[in-house]
Amino acid sequence: RYYLRALRADRLMDDRPALVEGLNDPECARFLPQVSVTTLAEAGAHVAKRARAWAEESRVSWAVAEPAAREHPVGELAASIM
């Protein structure tokens, strides 16, 4: 089973390493050429950007996570609000 949650980069949960790994996978990069996240700092900026968009109600993103491995999301979903 999986669950959806907001992307995080805090003392309790840090999605940055998974974002760096996942967004540098050739298959992922093929579908997201506009996203460049190669360092933890860039991943932190990505998480902050997604949090701002959520607060502005312009876009929402979720980490797709497994309950037993909450610190390691298995993917990210994003949607624009129409």
Side-chain angles (χ1 to χ4, degrees):
R1 286 198 167 220
Y2 299 99
Y3 71 101
L4 301 176
R5 61 168 173 75
L7 292 170
R8 291 180 56 179
D10 56 52
R11 67 179 186 80
L12 297 177
M13 200 170 294
D14 190 354
D15 294 330
R16 294 174 308 149
L19 286 168
V20 171
E21 181 181 348
L23 292 172
N24 283 288
D25 178 87
E27 282 300 306
C28 184
R30 180 176 147 212
F31 293 102
L32 296 168
Q34 73 281 8
V35 179
S36 177
V37 173
T38 58
T39 66
L40 289 178
E42 290 174 344
H46 180 77
V47 171
K49 180 180 177 180
R50 295 295 180 235
R52 279 191 308 276
W54 195 315
E56 295 165 356
E57 297 183 356
S58 61
R59 183 179 187 138
V60 293
S61 295
W62 296 275
V64 180
E66 294 180 89
R70 291 176 191 233
E71 68 279 2
H72 301 293
V74 296
E76 177 187 355
L77 298 173
S80 294
I81 298 174
M82 306 303 270

